[in-house]
Every structure is written in structure tokens, then in C-alpha cells.
DNA sequence: ATAGCACAGATTGTTAACAATCCAATATTA
DNA sequence: TAATATTGGATTGTTAACAATCTGTGCTAT
């Protein structure tokens, strides 16, 4: 039961963006991608259209698809949207979380911790996003969860663009504190901590760098075969 | 400077959904649409892909595209998402609205009023949605505004499905009260009124009808030429 | 030397024919 | 008669060739 190839392409690219292996501004040529995934151009084309709808890829007519480069203004708008959505998502999570959900959250925290311990930055960035996405799923509102996936993906691009040098992306224990509040079923506190966490991330962004600089596609999307 | 045809197709279909001329469950055949818009099947195909990404169309592999049919659970999730987003959007609007914006809002109210006076239900439904979209634009956060456009579109489908018999979709003057609160720059009150307005719409939905029933595509998408 | 132009290669966009799949109507069999 | 096979038409999905557009390079002329 393999997935449709289009999905594999989309997910590979999204993963690479979440990991910050693919950086803002990278050109996604159709030929290059169809070579990489050993398929024809039409499938690549549809995958790129999907990514464009998700707003993580910019499509310029007659000149190709590029990983989106959010402006500082975009960044502010995206983080405001995240606060709006994650506040509700978090309240839902407090109300709906089962014991299994809490266990999953704790397991995720452990993974994050391990990645940071190993100084594995790409993994840390990906897992950090994963925490918010997981929280969204636990909230049991797929509409909000989907928007959150989109926004966190775009946030990864922003962090890659404007906070690449930064030592710390998320204060070590903010995620852990949120999980504790959820476990205590303390809605107000969980929401407060999450809002503060998001403002903290946003304030850690330096809006004056501007280094695109991107490597070869094949190096970055190498091992897509499951 | 005509728009790309794909955009025209997408907008035509979205308009027809906003008006409730196209109802949930209607099949959108590729041949039928390319005949209607006098174009290639490939362009129709892309338009349908875009609409699928917007979640207003369901695409079933090998059996075509259908106008989405939101479930009652979808409806609850969509309205929760709207409350999360429109609360912020509304706050932004209070802070950012220029005199021109207020004028535009008043003009919109007048249009709504006129449509209701003329018992023009499709226009009333479309304009009612338009009010929320306009508010979103005035909030000056395109990220939130885009999600709002998607959610209001899906709301139109929901209202068409579950509240078609209903006499009143929006209490006559709730929109007007919101505009007044914005004009007074009364953030808290504007937010309260909007939240209440949304809960009011949601509670007016009867989750037990189930009439798909759809007319011919050509009758419904007749005059797309601007 | 530099600005403008023209050409060549590469990349994206379009088209139409072909293949695979689904659906409904008809025929077949217990 | 009712259930199941079969078959033809219609619809969606794929492919590869062709057309349009862009980008960069080298040439020409001022």
C-alpha cells in the first residue's frame, strides 16, 4: 500500500523545509525533481502546485517554483495567526487529551531533549515544530490542525531565514511546562504559557539578516525512499 | 489585462458556491467544465486541484471532483476556527480601520439591506459572507484574511446544506452593531458582538436535514464572461 | 569600455493522443 | 426471480511531443 508519488514528493520537500535542509529561495526545478524522484514532469508539477497552495512555495509564471521567502511583515502576520489558532488548539488539548495523548507528549519531549543533547540542530528544529503539530492533533479540530501545520512550516522558513545563527530556538523547558499544565488540566495556565512561548520565539528573530545561500537539490533531497 | 483562465474558473465556481447556486455534492465533471469555459481539460484540472486545496471540493481518485459536503462535525470545527480567527481579525480591524474602511463597511451594510429588502436570497447570502471577508481585509493580516475566506466559503456550504429552509441567516442588525463598535473603537465590545454573532449563526443550523439535490451545471455557471 | 542586441540552450507551459478505471445496462445462471 | 458476470460507453489519469518564454553569453556599434 504505497502512497501516491505526488504525496511522497510533497512530504519529502516539506520535511526538508522543516529540517531547514531546504532554505528559503531555493529553486525547485521541474527537471531536477523529476530526475530525483524518477518520475515524469507532470507529477512534479502537481506536487509543486500543492505546495504553492500551502504557501510554502512561490510559483512565478514561466520562471519556475521557489521555496517561499517570507518577509518580516509576513513573519509578524504568521505569528499573530499562530497565537490566534494555538490558543484555541491548546484549550482543546487540555479538554480532550487522553492518557495516551499525554504519554505521546512526554515521549516527544524526551526525543526533543535527546536531539538537543546530541547537538543535532536539524532534528531539534523539526521536533520543535512537531511538538506544536502534535498539540494541534490532540486538540481534535482538524481544521485548526491543518492551518497550524501550514503556519509552523512557514515558521520554520522564517527561523531559517532570520534566526539561523541563534543558539536557542525554544527555551529548553517551555514545552515541558506546557505539557505539565495540560496534565494538570489547567486551561488558563496552559494558554498563557503557550502564548508567552510564541511571543518568545518571535522576539528571538532578528529582522536584518538576509542570507539566501542554498546547496544542490540532490544533496538535500537524497534519501526519499522509505 | 485579462486574468489567467484558471483563476476565472476558480472564481466562478467559488462565486456559485457563495451564492448557493452550486450545492454540496454536485459533481464537477472535467468535460462539462471545459465545454462551459471553452478551454482545455488541463486547465479545468488545475482549477479543480486548487479548489481541492481550498477544501471546498473533494477529489475522489478515478471518479472525479465534487463540491464538498461538510459533516456536522466539520461544521462545529469550522465555526470554532472562525471564532478563533475572527476575534483577532476584528481586533485588528478596530485598530487599523481608516475612514475609508468605515465608509466601505457602511456601503456594504447598505447593499446587504437592499438585497434583503428585495428578498434576493442568493445576493443576501453572498453579501453576508462578504461582510466578514471585508472585515478580514480591514484587519490587514493577509494570512488570517485568507483562512477566513476559506472558512466563510465552507460556511456557505454548511448553511446551504443545513439551514436552507431558514428564514433568517443573520439577525438583521448584528453586522450594523459591529460596525458601530468599530467606529467607536471599542475593541472589547466589537469582539463580543462578533463572537456572539458567530454563535448565533451556528446555533441556527439544524443538523438533521440531508437534501443534496442539484441542478444542471450549465444552468448554474452560465454567465461567467465578465 | 559599455550599452544594446541577437542568438542558443534550457526551462516552463500546452496540447492531443493513449491507457486505465469506473459505472450502468444487459445478459447469464442458479 | 434474484444474484452475479459481462460488456460498452464515458470519465479520469498519464505520457510524450510540441510551442512559448526566459536567461545568459558573446557580438556589434557607438
Amino acid at each position: 500500500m504505497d502512497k501516491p508519488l505526488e504525496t511522497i514528493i510533497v512530504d519529502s520537500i516539506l520535511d526538508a523545509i522543516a529540517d531547514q535542509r531546504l532554505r528559503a529561495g531555493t529553486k525547485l526545478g521541474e527537471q531536477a525533481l523529476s530526475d530525483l524522484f524518477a518520475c515524469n514532469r507532470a507529477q512534479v508539477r502537481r506536487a509543486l502546485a500543492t505546495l504553492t497552495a500551502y504557501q510554502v512555495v512561490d510559483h512565478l509564471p514561466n520562471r519556475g517554483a521557489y521555496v517561499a521567502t517570507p518577509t518580516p511583515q509576513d513573519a509578524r502576520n504568521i505569528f499573530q495567526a499562530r497565537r490566534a489558532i494555538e490558543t484555541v488548539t491548546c484549550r482543546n488539548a487540555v479538554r480532550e487529551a487522553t492518557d495516551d495523548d499525554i504519554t505521546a507528549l512526554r515521549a516527544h519531549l524526551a526525543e526533543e531533549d535527546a536531539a538537543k543533547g546530541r547537538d543535532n540542530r536539524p532534528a531539534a528544529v523539526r521536533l520543535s515544530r512537531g511538538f506544536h503539530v502534535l498539540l494541534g492533533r490532540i486538540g481534535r479540530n482538524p481544521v485548526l490542525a491543518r492551518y497550524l501545520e501550514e503556519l509552523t512550516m512557514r515558521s520554520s522558513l522564517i527561523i531559517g531565514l532570520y534566526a539561523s545563527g541563534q543558539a536557542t530556538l525554544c527555551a529548553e523547558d517551555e514545552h515541558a511546562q506546557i505539557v505539565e499544565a495540560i496534565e494538570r488540566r489547567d486551561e488558563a495556565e496552559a494558554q498563557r504559557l503557550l502564548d508567552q512561548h510564541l511571543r518568545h520565539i518571535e522576539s528571538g528573530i532578528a529582522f536584518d539578516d538576509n542570507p539566501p545561500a542554498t546547496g544542490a537539490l540532490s544533496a538535500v533531497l537524497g534519501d526519499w525512499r522509505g
Side-chain angles (χ1 to χ4, degrees), chain A residues 173-188:
Chain A
D173 57 339
E174 288 184 343
H175 288 183
Q177 283 184 278
I178 291 168
V179 172
E180 279 165 34
I182 292 172
E183 211 166 354
R184 272 184 275 121
R185 308 286 171 182
D186 187 342
E187 250 180 56

Side-chain angles (χ1 to χ4, degrees), chain A residues 106-173:
Chain A
R106 290 221 164 282
H108 191 96
L109 288 180
E111 274 194 86
E112 282 191 73
D113 224 39
K116 279 190 188 152
R118 266 182 279 109
D119 265 340
N120 186 345
R121 191 179 152 100
V125 174
R126 174 164 31 81
L127 289 167
S128 181
R129 168 174 183 264
F131 176 79
H132 292 265
V133 171
L134 179 55
L135 218 51
R137 294 236 174 82
I138 293 174
R140 309 253 141 69
N141 181 335
V143 176
L144 288 172
R146 199 182 90 81
Y147 289 153
L148 189 53
E149 288 190 36
E150 222 177 274
L151 292 171
T152 51
M153 190 65 69
R154 297 171 79 184
S155 296
S156 295
L157 283 175
I158 291 165
I159 291 170
L161 263 180
Y162 299 109
S164 45
Q166 222 73 359
T168 151
L169 352 117
C170 290
E172 188 73 31
D173 57 339

Side-chain angles (χ1 to χ4, degrees), chain A residues 4 14 20 26 38 41 62 66 82 115 121 131 147 157 161 184 200 212 221:
Chain A
L14 288 180
Q20 305 187 340
T26 307
R41 218 152 51 85
N62 282 319
Y66 296 80
R82 281 188 65 172
R121 191 179 152 100
F131 176 79
Y147 289 153
L157 283 175
L161 263 180
R184 272 184 275 121
H200 197 244
L221 291 172

Side-chain angles (χ1 to χ4, degrees), chain A residues 17 26-27 34 39 43-44 55 70 76 79 81-82 93 104-105 113 142 145 161 186 189 191 195 207 223:
Chain A
I17 290 175
T26 307
K27 166 143 198 182
S34 29
C39 66
Q43 304 186 263
V44 168
Q55 312 220 46
R76 275 186 287 273
F79 274 98
R82 281 188 65 172
L105 281 170
D113 224 39
L161 263 180
D186 187 342
E189 180 67 358
Q191 284 182 303
D195 186 83
F207 286 123
D223 55 346

Side-chain angles (χ1 to χ4, degrees), chain A residues 45 64 69 84 98-99 138 156 199 205 224:
Chain A
R45 198 159 242 280
T69 302
T98 65
D99 289 349
I138 293 174
S156 295
R199 288 181 195 279
I205 294 173
W224 57 277

